[in-house]
Amino acid sequence: MSGVSVASGSTEFGLTETRWGRSPSSGDMLALRVVATARVVAAIAIAAVGSYRAESHGHQATLLLLIGLVGVPWATVVMLNSDSTDNRIARFGGPIGDVLALFAVQTLVPSAAETVLLGYLVVVAFTAYTAGRAFATLVVVGAVAAALGSNIITPRSTHLHMSAILPFLLAQVALFTLIDRTRLLQARATTTSARLQTRADTIVAHVADAVVVTDGAGAVLQCNAAAERVIGPAGSAAPLHCHDFLGLHRGERALDCSDGCALLRERIDGEFGLEVWRRTADGRRQPLLADAARVVGLDGRIEVIHSIRDISRIKQAEEAKTLFLATASHELKTPLTVITGFASTLIRYADLDRETRTDALQAIHARAQELTRIVERLLLSSRIEAGRLELNLEDVDVVPLILDRAQAFGAAMGRTVGTDIAPDLPHARANAHAVVTVIDHLIDNAAKYSPGGEPLVVRASGDAERVRIDVVDQGIGMDAEQAEHCFERFWQAEATDVRRFGGTGIGLYIVQSMVEAMGGTIGVESTKGSGSTFTVTLPTPSAARLAIPAQAATSPDVGESTSIREFMRQIGVPERNRR
Amino acid sequence: MTTIAVATVNIVLGLVYSCYGVMTILDLKHGWRERGFSHFGVAWIAMAFTCGPHHLAHGLHAASTGTNAGFLDVAAVLVGFPAGVAWFLLRVEALAGGRGDRFIKGTPTWLKAAAALGVVYAVAMAGAIAWTWRDGISFTPRMTPNVLLLFVYCVIGYYLLRTQLGNREPFGGWSVSGVALSAVFPTCGVMHVLFATYAASGQYHVDPIGLAIDWLAVPAAIYFVWVVRALHQGSFTDWNEGAEGVRPRWALA
C-alpha cells in the first residue's frame, strides 16, 4: 500500500480501499479533463470578446465571434467526451480543433501571432502526452504548417520574424521528443506494474475467502468484496483497527492484536488456518477459518494479509447431517420394524388363517405407504434445498381442494376435520398440487400435535388481494421461541418430539417453501397448551399481476430529502452501490 | 400591462431560483461530511445563481426602464412560472421533512391534454418567433449567450424528459416533481431565445449586467451537462452513491 490518499472507494476489481489506502492513478484522465475545461473557457472567452467588440470593432471582431460560436459547442462536445482516456473525440478531436482555432485566430489577429505560437506549443505538448506518436507527429506538422500558412496569407507588414519562427520550430521538436520519450518509458513501467497489479488484484478480488490487509499496527488498509460479505463493510472515513473490524476469538478468548497480529503468533506452520469465531452484528457466533501472513508493502513497510473463510455453512451442514441421520433413521426404522415383523411371521407361519394373513398384509401395506410418504418428503426437501422447486401458477379455486382433503383426512384418521369457508371466496394464483401438499401437511401436523383427538378446523376467507387459509388445532401448542423456529428444516419443538410424535422435521419447511414459491406467506399463532393456528395467504390473480410494478416502484410518491439527490433522481442519474 | 407582468413574474422567479441556490448550498453543506464533494450540487448551484440573477436583472430592468415587454415574453414566462414554483414548493416541503413529491397514477386525461397543449405551445411559439423575424432581424452579437443557453437547456430538458418517459412504465405513472422540472428547462430556453429575438428587433435594450450574467450562465450550464453525462457514463460517482441516509462505512462495521 503506497502512502496515504484522501480518496476512498472501490477499484475496478471490487477491492475496497480505505481512506488510508492507495487510490488508482488517474493522471491522464485529469490531464484530459483539465485541457477540455480550459478549451471551453477559452472558446467562451473568444466568443465573449467577439460579442463585446463586434459592434465597435467591425468585421474582425465578428469573425472572432464566429470562431467562438463554433468553438463553444465543439469544445463542449470534446469536454463531454473527456470521461475516458480512450475516447477518440477527446484525444484526437480536441487537438485538431485547437490547431484550426489557433490558425484562425492568428490569421484574424496577426498582432497576437506570437501568443498563438505559445498556444501551439501547449497543444503539441498535450497531444504528445495523451495521443499516440503518429497522431502527435501529425499535430506537430499541422501546427507548423498552420503557423507558417497563416504567416503567408496575412499582410506582409504583420509577418512573424524568423527570430520567432525558428525557436518555435525547435521548441516544438524538442518538446515533442522529450515528452514522447518520457511517455514511452513511463508506459513500459506502467504496463509491467499494471500487469502485476491486475494479476494480484484479480486473484484477491475473486477468491471466495475474505482478504483483509492491515498495516503493522493493525489499521485496515484494504479488503476484498468477500471480506465485506463475510465480515461487513470496511470503513472509508476513519482508520479502522483490525480488532474492531474482525473481532476474532479463539475458544472463549478474544485475540489480542495490541502486540502485533495474534493470528501470526498463534498459527501453526504447515497448517492452513486456525478455527476462530467472531460475534456478528446480530449477536450470532460466526465460525471462521483464519490465516495470516506478513508481506512488504510498496512503501517498504510491513503489512499483514489476513485470509478468512466463513465456515458457518460447513458447521451447520455438519449439524444438519447429524440431525437428519438421527431423525430419518428413527422415522424409517418404525415402519420397517413393523414390516419386518409381519413379513417374518408370514414366512414362519405358512398355515395362518386367511383373516390373520390379510391383517398382516394390510399392516405391511400401510407401513409401506408410510415409508413412501417419508421418502417423498425427503426427496421434495432435497429438491427445495437444491433450488429445483419450480411451480406453474394458474388460477385455482381452493374450495374443492380444502373440502376434499379435509374429508380424506377425516376418513383416514377416523376423526372429524371441520371446515369453515367464506362465501364467494376468490380464486388464488397458485399451483393446485402445491396447495394440496400444503393443506395435507398442515392437517397432518395439526392432527399429530393434537394427540387427544381435539377438534381440527380448516377455515378459508379472502378479499380482492389474497386468499387466506387457516388450519386450527387445539393441541399442545408452542411457546414463542418454538413458533419462531418451527419452519426451519429438521427442527422440532422438542428433541423428544421425534420420539413422541414422529416426523422428520421437514414438513413445515416444505410448506413454507411451497407457499413462498407461489408468492404467498405463511405464519403461525400458537399458545403453549392451547393449540396453534397456521395461516397461509395466497395472492389473488389481480394482486399477483400488480405485484410486479409494485416491486419496481419503491416509493413513487415520495421525493428525496435533498434537492441534489432529487434532481439526480429526476434526471435519471443511475444509483451506484457503495462497496 | 405586459411590462408589469414580465417584471413581476421575473422578479418572483429570480427570487425563487436564488432561494433554490441557497437551499442547495445548505444541502451541500449538510451532506458534505457524509457524502463528500458533489460536482452535481456545485453545478446546480452555479446554474441557480445565474438563472436567478438573470430573471431578477431582467425583471428589474423591465420595471425600472419601463421597456415595452413583448407578449411572447409574457407567454413564455407565465408557462414556466407554475412549473418552477411547483418544483420549488416541493423542495421546500422536503426541506421541512415532508414528502417532496406527488405521484400521478396512470396518465390522466388532463395530463394528456397538458402534453398536447405543450406541443401546440411549442409550435405556436416557434411560429410567433419566426413571425417576429418576418421583416428581418439585425442579430447583434450580444445575443450569443442566449442562443448558446437555448441549446444547453434543451439538452438538460431532454435528459429530464427521457427519464420521466422511462419511469412511466415501471412506476405506472408520473412524478409531479419530475414533470415540473422537465417543463422548467425548455421554457427557460424559450425565454432566452425570445430575449434574443426582442433584443435583435430593438424592443429590448441589452443591459451590461444581464449580459455578463448570461455569459456566466453558459459555462455553468455546460459544467452541469458535463456532470450529468459523466454520472450517466459512470466515469465518476457523486451523491448517487449508496442509499439516502447511509452512514459512513466505518461506522457500520
Side-chain angles (χ1 to χ4, degrees):
Chain A
M1 304 299 123
S2 59
V4 172
S5 163
V6 290
S8 66
S10 303
T11 70
E12 61 182 300
F13 301 99
L15 302 181
T16 300
E17 307 272 359
T18 67
R19 186 184 179 86
W20 315 100
R22 65 166 179 266
S23 61
S25 167
S26 56
D28 289 349
M29 182 81 102
L30 187 65
L32 271 179
R33 282 181 176 169
V34 166
V35 172
T37 307
R39 193 180 286 122
V40 171
V41 172
I44 289 174
I46 290 172
V49 169
S51 279
Y52 276 101
R53 293 163 63 110
E55 287 171 36
S56 56
H57 289 70
H59 184 63
Q60 198 180 49
T62 305
L63 287 173
L64 210 57
L65 170 65
L66 279 177
I67 295 172
L69 282 177
V70 175
V72 171
W74 173 242
T76 305
V77 167
V78 173
M79 184 175 152
L80 293 179
N81 283 283
S82 301
D83 51 8
S84 161
T85 49
D86 296 329
N87 191 294
R88 288 184 180 183
I89 294 176
R91 288 171 71 200
F92 305 140
I96 290 173
D98 293 341
V99 170
L100 291 175
L102 288 169
F103 169 74
V105 172
Q106 187 187 349
T107 307
L108 289 172
V109 193
S111 58
E114 288 179 5
T115 311
V116 170
L117 290 187
L118 288 176
Y120 282 123
L121 287 180
V122 173
V123 173
V124 166
F126 168 69
T127 313
Y129 180 64
T130 58
R133 181 182 291 173
F135 181 71
T137 308
L138 268 177
V139 169
V140 169
V141 172
V144 171
L148 295 178
S150 173
N151 210 34
I152 291 167
I153 61 178
T154 50
R156 194 170 187 82
S157 60
T158 60
H159 279 186
L160 282 166
H161 197 266
M162 280 305 284
S163 63
I165 291 177
L166 205 58
F168 164 66
L169 293 174
L170 290 175
Q172 287 239 64
V173 174
L175 202 57
F176 169 74
T177 309
L178 191 66
I179 292 177
D180 182 63
R181 181 69 185 158
T182 308
R183 191 171 169 270
L184 187 70
L185 293 174
Q186 185 200 25
R188 278 185 197 157
T190 306
T191 304
T192 309
S193 171
R195 277 186 193 146
L196 292 171
Q197 187 67 49
T198 303
R199 189 167 174 272
D201 282 351
T202 307
I203 292 169
V204 173
H206 290 90
V207 292
D209 292 350
V211 175
V212 178
V213 183
T214 65
D215 64 12
V220 176
L221 297 174
Q222 188 185 25
C223 57
N224 65 352
E228 301 216 340
R229 204 168 52 241
V230 173
I231 310 292
S236 66
L240 191 65
H241 196 273
C242 71
H243 177 76
D244 302 318
F245 182 47
L246 300 176
L248 300 179
H249 293 68
R250 191 174 183 204
E252 295 309 313
R253 176 175 54 89
L255 292 184
D256 180 11
C257 299
S258 54
D259 293 329
C261 180
L263 270 178
L264 279 174
R265 281 198 309 272
E266 300 202 11
R267 71 183 297 277
I268 300 162
D269 285 337
E271 285 190 16
F272 177 74
L274 288 175
E275 278 207 23
V276 293
W277 62 274
R278 61 184 289 276
R279 188 76 65 189
T280 59
D282 58 1
R284 189 173 54 85
R285 199 170 159 139
Q286 182 186 27
L288 303 164
L289 190 65
D291 203 353
R294 278 193 195 86
V295 290
V296 180
L298 293 178
D299 57 1
R301 285 187 288 188
I302 293 293
E303 292 171 1
V304 182
I305 297 181
H306 303 71
S307 156
I308 299 161
R309 179 175 299 174
D310 184 359
I311 54 173
S312 304
R313 282 180 165 249
I314 297 171
K315 292 283 181 192
Q316 283 168 1
E318 282 174 5
E319 287 171 15
K321 193 171 74 179
T322 308
L323 189 60
F324 170 75
L325 285 173
T327 52
S329 304
H330 177 78
E331 276 297 289
L332 294 172
K333 191 180 169 190
T334 308
L336 277 175
T337 305
V338 175
I339 290 169
T340 310
F342 278 108
S344 300
T345 305
L346 288 172
I347 292 165
R348 199 177 303 156
Y349 307 104
D351 55 346
L352 285 173
D353 61 76
R354 184 182 173 83
E355 191 179 347
T356 310
R357 286 172 64 88
T358 305
D359 286 347
L361 287 170
Q362 278 178 341
I364 289 172
H365 181 252
R367 293 302 182 170
Q369 280 187 320
E370 191 181 333
L371 271 179
T372 306
R373 270 203 311 277
I374 293 168
V375 172
E376 278 175 354
R377 282 188 185 196
L378 290 173
L379 288 173
L380 185 55
S381 161
S382 299
R383 275 175 55 207
I384 292 169
E385 194 64 12
R388 287 189 285 119
L389 179 68
E390 288 179 7
L391 300 175
N392 291 324
L393 302 185
E394 55 201 349
D395 294 358
V396 175
D397 183 2
V398 299
V399 176
L401 303 180
I402 293 171
L403 293 174
D404 176 59
R405 298 322 297 162
Q407 189 188 20
F409 260 87
M413 294 185 300
R415 58 195 286 185
T416 306
V417 180
T419 53
D420 177 10
I421 295 172
D424 300 328
L425 192 68
H427 285 197
R429 187 73 184 159
N431 178 284
H433 294 296
V435 172
V436 167
T437 307
V438 167
I439 295 170
D440 280 358
H441 275 84
L442 290 178
I443 296 178
D444 186 35
N445 194 65
K448 191 161 64 180
Y449 290 100
S450 308
E454 295 88 349
L456 309 175
V457 180
V458 182
R459 294 195 193 113
S461 57
D463 54 30
E465 293 184 358
R466 62 197 158 190
V467 173
R468 174 180 168 141
I469 302 169
D470 296 309
V471 178
V472 186
D473 70 68
Q474 295 173 17
I476 63 169
M478 297 179 282
D479 61 26
E481 192 188 346
Q482 290 169 337
E484 189 186 331
H485 293 286
C486 69
F487 295 107
E488 290 173 15
R489 201 182 183 209
F490 300 131
W491 185 91
Q492 287 197 320
E494 296 168 13
T496 54
D497 283 357
V498 175
R499 295 194 181 281
R500 283 174 66 195
F501 300 108
T504 50
I506 56 175
L508 291 177
Y509 167 75
I510 289 172
V511 168
Q512 186 190 38
S513 302
M514 290 195 137
V515 170
E516 287 177 354
M518 292 186 283
T521 61
I522 184 165
V524 61
E525 282 183 16
S526 187
T527 308
K528 192 84 175 169
S530 302
S532 307
T533 300
F534 283 86
T535 302
V536 171
T537 62
L538 296 169
T540 58
S542 57
R545 274 193 295 276
L546 285 173
I548 296 167
Q551 284 163 1
T554 47
S555 52
D557 210 17
V558 180
E560 295 278 355
S561 62
T562 69
S563 300
I564 296 172
R565 291 265 310 167
E566 174 64 8
F567 201 163
M568 281 183 169
R569 180 172 79 105
Q570 298 301 352
I571 209 164
V573 171
E575 191 81 5
R576 309 272 175 205
N577 289 328
R578 286 188 178 198
R579 288 177 185 272
Chain B
M1 194 62 191
T2 52
T3 304
I4 294 171
V6 164
T8 309
V9 176
N10 270 295
I11 289 170
V12 173
L13 273 181
L15 290 172
V16 162
Y17 288 148
S18 300
C19 286
Y20 185 71
V22 172
M23 204 189 293
T24 312
I25 287 176
L26 292 176
D27 278 347
L28 193 62
K29 180 174 171 285
H30 291 143
W32 192 305
R33 195 181 185 85
E34 192 173 297
R35 295 181 175 278
F37 176 78
S38 169
H39 275 289
F40 192 95
V42 171
W44 185 218
I45 289 165
M47 280 182 65
F49 278 122
T50 48
C51 270
H54 162 87
H55 283 287
L56 271 178
H58 185 34
L60 290 172
H61 190 71
S64 62
T65 61
T67 308
N68 184 23
F71 169 74
L72 293 178
D73 200 0
V74 181
V77 84
L78 281 179
V79 169
F81 182 76
V85 172
W87 157 258
F88 177 72
L89 291 177
L90 286 169
R91 290 294 84 218
V92 171
E93 185 191 43
L95 195 69
R99 284 150 65 189
D101 198 2
R102 297 292 182 277
F103 183 64
I104 304 168
K105 196 174 179 183
T107 308
T109 312
W110 64 264
L111 192 60
K112 286 178 188 164
L117 280 175
V119 174
V120 171
Y121 166 79
V123 172
M125 199 57 95
I129 290 169
W131 180 256
T132 311
W133 293 344
R134 68 190 183 283
D135 297 329
I137 53 164
S138 55
F139 185 86
T140 70
R142 289 191 173 187
M143 301 303 101
T144 312
N146 290 296
V147 176
L148 290 173
L149 284 172
L150 167 71
F151 289 109
V152 181
Y153 286 168
C154 284
V155 170
I156 298 172
Y158 159 74
Y159 271 113
L160 283 162
L161 193 62
R162 190 182 67 168
T163 307
Q164 305 313 313
L165 291 170
N167 284 347
R168 185 174 57 94
E169 184 112 347
F171 283 80
W174 303 84
S175 152
V176 171
S177 167
V179 170
L181 205 50
S182 302
V184 165
F185 281 90
T187 51
C188 274
V190 170
M191 282 180 221
H192 278 286
V193 83
L194 277 169
F195 185 77
T197 302
Y198 281 129
S201 68
Q203 190 168 343
Y204 283 1
H205 300 290
V206 181
D207 64 312
I209 296 173
L211 188 60
I213 293 169
D214 288 349
W215 269 115
L216 288 174
V218 175
I222 290 174
Y223 176 38
F224 185 78
V225 171
W226 173 74
V227 171
V228 171
R229 191 175 183 279
L231 289 174
H232 274 280
Q233 299 277 329
S235 56
F236 68 81
T237 51
D238 203 276
W239 284 19
N240 58 330
E241 190 186 57
E244 181 78 11
V246 73
R247 289 187 297 151
R249 277 174 282 176
W250 62 269
L252 294 170

